[in-house]
Amino acid sequence: MDTNGRFGEAEEAAMRRALALAATDGVPLGPNPRVGCVLLGAAGDLLAEGYHRGAGTPHAEADALAQVDGRAPGATAVVTLEPCNHTGRTGPCARALLDAGVRRVVIAQRDTNPVATGGVDTLLAAGVEVESGLLVDEARALNQVWTFAVEHGRPFVTWKFATTLDGRSAAADGTSRWVSSLAARRDTHELRARCDTMLVGTNTVAVDNPLLTVRDAEDRPLPRQPLRVVMGERSLDPAHRVFGPEAETLHLHTRDPGAALTELFARDRQHVFLEGGPTLAAAFVRAGLVDEVVAYVAPMLLGAGRPAVGDLGIPTISKALHLDVTDVTVLEPAKPGDDTDVRITMRRA
């Protein structure tokens, strides 16, 4: 039992199981959170379990209740996120739990989404015992990006760039292919696949003509492709590869990072993978809109060339933007003779 005596051992075990269910591989990313539910009998025995499999599918509570024909009198529902209180593609989970006869609901994380919140109030008003906060840190970590987007009203932004040891993203003659190794490029595709949006500037499209899709180790496109977003006021030739049929593409005619993120959030986008050049990256950093930085550092020196990021308006070392390193990984070369790049992941301090 926890230090406050609010949760039993069976409930904590059930919550860990619910978190594991919510993290099941293959669940599509966004716009909905990952949620798991375990139903316990009066003696703490397992009645049913379920999880949400993506937008338009039954929510975790409904998935679990379906296994007991919608009836669980006297049961305890252990859920990783507050049951929703609204009717969307599916009905409100709070009402489903009431109709099933559940007497107690244990929640990890409260839902701050104004559209879905209110489930706890509905349950309490009907006389159901409700406790929240069990393994809340684990639940927030599971839905880190979704939680950030809901609480901040904008997508979480990961800025990825590749650089030489001396901070160059391209040589003096403009050549940049390839600053990063094959292993780094494959690793980048894995990171892209975890996001719902990839964002570049119009200059990157005009100069590099990227396809901007997610591909596997054999360079084959994955079934699910993030939204490709081009940001900038410049008109672009529709023949550029980014406008091809491989994935959906959106051109945001703005130079304002805040306006771009507002538009993307309105489109249910929660995680932006920023892959633009130094000018676009600098604009997002100056605006305070970069939440995570992923840098691939190649063991090479150029001595001159395009910097990895543009002017940040930082005049002195005391004003430097400090980042917290959360991970350092040395990437194994993908082929003999390839560089051994280092991936450094950082968060704003």
Side-chain angles (χ1 to χ4, degrees):
M1 189 170 292
D2 78 332
T3 54
N4 295 319
R6 295 185 296 136
F7 311 111
E9 292 181 2
E11 292 175 346
E12 181 172 340
M15 185 63 79
R16 294 194 184 281
R17 174 58 181 164
L19 288 165
L21 288 168
T24 300
D25 287 341
V27 175
L29 298 176
N32 293 354
R34 292 171 176 252
V35 184
C37 175
V38 172
L39 297 177
L40 298 177
D45 52 310
L46 175 66
L47 297 180
E49 57 184 30
Y51 64 97
H52 183 48
R53 292 168 173 80
T57 66
H59 288 188
E61 299 91 329
D63 188 37
L65 288 171
Q67 300 172 35
V68 290
D69 296 325
R71 294 187 52 78
T76 294
V78 180
V79 194
T80 59
L81 183 69
E82 178 180 357
C84 68
N85 199 46
H86 78 293
T87 300
R89 300 185 192 183
T90 59
C93 292
R95 172 51 57 186
L97 293 173
L98 290 177
D99 292 343
V102 168
R103 69 166 183 83
R104 175 174 165 86
V105 177
V106 175
I107 300 164
Q109 180 181 0
R110 294 291 295 266
D111 192 343
T112 56
N113 185 346
V115 175
T117 191
V120 165
D121 293 338
T122 294
L123 293 167
L124 289 173
V128 174
E129 183 181 352
V130 180
E131 293 286 357
S132 62
L134 177 59
L135 302 182
V136 63
D137 291 340
E138 289 87 338
R140 288 179 64 87
L142 174 69
N143 286 307
Q144 173 184 279
V145 168
W146 176 87
T147 299
F148 179 96
V150 168
E151 292 180 352
H152 290 79
R154 68 165 177 86
F156 184 89
V157 177
T158 296
W159 168 37
K160 167 263 171 182
F161 67 95
T163 179
T164 62
L165 283 173
D166 51 346
R168 307 295 176 177
S169 63
D173 64 356
T175 55
S176 61
R177 222 173 157 138
W178 297 97
V179 168
S180 58
S181 66
L182 176 58
R185 298 195 297 275
R186 288 178 175 174
D187 194 71
T188 294
H189 280 281
E190 293 184 14
L191 296 184
R192 283 180 175 182
R194 301 174 191 174
C195 303
D196 56 30
T197 306
M198 290 186 290
L199 176 62
V200 297
T202 52
N203 189 64
T204 294
V205 173
V207 174
D208 296 337
N209 194 23
L211 184 59
L212 216 63
T213 56
V214 179
R215 301 181 291 279
D216 63 17
E218 281 71 46
D219 207 36
R220 297 171 301 198
L222 298 186
R224 174 195 168 274
Q225 293 291 329
L227 173 69
R228 301 178 295 191
V229 177
V230 181
M231 177 180 161
E233 297 175 347
R234 181 195 309 191
S235 296
L236 293 169
D237 186 340
H240 281 298
R241 296 201 302 164
V242 75
F243 297 114
E246 294 81 5
E248 181 183 0
T249 301
L250 173 68
H251 186 173
L252 295 177
H253 293 270
T254 180
R255 295 179 180 176
D256 181 352
L261 294 183
T262 296
E263 173 66 20
L264 292 172
F265 185 70
R267 293 172 178 263
D268 279 337
R269 299 291 155 170
Q270 297 167 355
H271 194 173
V272 169
F273 199 63
L274 179 62
E275 289 201 80
T279 300
L280 184 63
F284 272 82
V285 174
R286 286 197 306 269
L289 295 175
V290 170
D291 307 297
E292 180 180 59
V293 179
V294 178
Y296 291 94
V297 182
M300 68 171 72
L301 296 167
L302 285 173
R306 185 174 64 180
V309 65
D311 182 12
L312 297 179
I314 298 174
T316 180
I317 193 67
S318 64
K319 301 294 184 180
L321 174 61
H322 290 269
L323 302 171
D324 290 332
V325 176
T326 59
D327 179 73
V328 177
T329 299
V330 178
L331 302 177
E332 291 293 331
K335 60 182 180 180
D338 204 2
D339 281 341
T340 303
D341 287 358
V342 178
R343 184 190 68 218
I344 307 174
T345 306
M346 296 153 278
R347 294 285 182 90
R348 293 182 67 92

